[in-house]
Amino acid sequence: VVSGLIVVDFFAFRHKIPWIGKKIKEPSPLSKAVVRVIIKWATLPEEPELRQQVIQHQEDWITPFPGSGVVFFESDTHYYVLTAAHVLNRFMVSRARLAPEVSVSIADGSLYPAHVVVYCHQWPPDIAVIKFPKGGIVQEHICVVPLGRADVLKKALGGKVVVLGHPWEEEEGEFVAKLLSTKEQERLVFKPGMSSGGSGGALLYKGLVVGIATHKHRIEGSGRAVSNETIIEVFEKILKGDTEGFDVSIDESDRVAL
C-alpha cells in the first residue's frame, strides 16, 4: 500500500503511472537493512594547507552522517554493508589520502565502529564495502538483504523497485521508483531519485539488491545507481587478486562476503 506523493515527476504524469515516487505508508522490515554511515577524522594532515582544507570541509557539512548503506551479508561475527565510495570520501581532500573513522548507525540508533573492506578510489564504479561487529545487536533491529544475481536485474529493468536510504531531510526514505530500461554511462537510471544523504542506499527488486544509489540528477530529478552486475564483477576481480583502482583490506573471513 502506498500513499503520499513526494516528488512531482513529469515522466509519471505524462505516462499516467500513479505509483512512481510514492512513499511507502508503513516501512517494511527490509528498511532495517539500511544504515547511516557516519564519518569523522581520526587524524588531521600535518601540512598546514591540507589541514585547513580538511577542517573547512568538516565545518561545511551540516550533518554527521553523509550517506547511507545497506546490510547485504552477515558472517558469524560481522555484518557487511554496501555503500557508495563517495560517502566515505565526503570529507576527503584528494591529495590527503587520509583514512577517516567510519561508524554505522542501525535502526534503533545504536552506533558501531566499522572497518573499510573495499574502497574504490577510481570512479566509476562508485562503490565500497564496510563491515561492523555483530556483538550486542538485537536481531529485531537489523535485517539483511542479499545482493541479487546478475540475471535478477534483467527482470527488474522497466519495472518497480523499492528505494531505501536515509535522506538528510527525513528520518528514513522508502519509496517506489521506476527502474528505466536504459543506462547512462554504465549506471542504472531510476525515477525519482533519492535526496541528499540517500547515496549508498539500495534499489530492491523482490527483496534483493539490484543497485546502489550514487546521486540524483538535479534537473531531471532522476537517480543514478551502480548495478548489481557491476558490483558482482568488481567482487570477482578482487577475489582473483586484481585490485587496481581499489583499496582492499580483506582477510579470509571477508572473502565469503564477496
Side-chain angles (χ1 to χ4, degrees):
V1 179
V2 294
S3 64
L5 203 64
I6 61 171
V7 174
V8 177
D9 182 60
F10 292 103
F11 181 92
F13 177 79
R14 184 170 67 250
H15 294 276
K16 295 182 173 61
I17 305 176
W19 46 264
I20 286 185
K22 288 194 173 182
K23 192 168 183 178
I24 293 176
K25 186 176 181 181
E26 294 294 335
S28 69
L30 297 180
S31 65
K32 294 178 182 178
V34 180
V35 300
R36 286 189 169 98
V37 180
I38 300 172
I39 307 294
K40 70 175 183 177
W41 287 101
T43 58
L44 291 173
E46 294 182 2
E47 184 180 334
E49 181 182 350
L50 288 179
R51 187 183 186 91
Q52 186 56 43
Q53 287 184 51
V54 170
I55 292 172
Q56 187 61 50
H57 270 62
Q58 295 186 100
E59 290 176 347
D60 285 346
W61 289 97
I62 60 174
T63 174
F65 53 92
S68 305
V70 60
V71 179
F72 75 101
F73 185 83
E74 66 173 310
S75 68
D76 292 339
T77 58
H78 289 81
Y79 289 109
Y80 290 78
V81 175
L82 272 166
T83 185
H86 77 264
V87 169
L88 303 183
N89 198 53
R90 184 75 73 176
F91 300 122
M92 290 287 281
V93 179
S94 60
R95 290 192 294 126
R97 298 295 298 144
L98 297 175
E101 288 185 349
V102 182
S103 302
V104 298
S105 175
I106 65 173
D108 68 345
S110 299
L111 191 65
Y112 298 89
H115 172 74
V116 179
V117 178
V118 175
Y119 169 74
C120 178
H121 55 76
Q122 292 182 2
W123 309 337
D126 183 2
I127 60 169
V129 177
I130 60 179
K131 68 177 182 180
F132 64 100
K134 294 174 67 174
I137 297 178
V138 179
Q139 289 294 320
E140 288 76 10
H141 295 156
I142 199 163
C143 175
V144 179
V145 286
L147 181 66
R149 297 184 306 181
D151 60 341
V152 175
L153 180 61
K154 297 177 182 178
K155 300 174 183 177
L157 290 174
K160 299 179 184 179
V161 290
V162 174
V163 183
L164 298 174
H166 280 299
W168 295 342
E169 301 89 345
E170 306 174 46
E171 283 296 312
E172 59 186 15
E174 181 176 356
F175 61 89
V176 179
K178 180 179 177 64
L179 185 59
L180 304 190
S181 56
T182 57
K183 293 184 179 181
E184 180 185 281
Q185 297 179 341
E186 297 305 312
R187 293 187 179 93
L188 299 176
V189 181
F190 61 100
K191 298 177 74 82
M194 181 73 82
S195 300
S196 296
S199 293
L203 278 61
L204 303 184
Y205 176 75
K206 294 187 176 180
L208 299 172
V209 176
V210 294
I212 295 296
T214 56
H215 66 282
K216 181 178 181 178
H217 195 291
R218 294 184 178 180
I219 298 176
E220 296 178 2
S222 57
R224 303 295 186 271
V226 180
S227 73
N228 62 333
E229 289 180 338
T230 298
I231 295 169
I232 291 170
E233 289 173 3
V234 167
F235 287 175
E236 289 176 346
K237 287 178 61 177
I238 290 173
L239 290 175
K240 291 177 181 177
D242 183 358
T243 59
E244 183 178 357
F246 292 87
D247 291 336
V248 178
S249 176
I250 63 174
D251 54 35
E252 285 303 313
S253 63
D254 298 325
R255 296 178 69 87
V256 66
L258 307 183

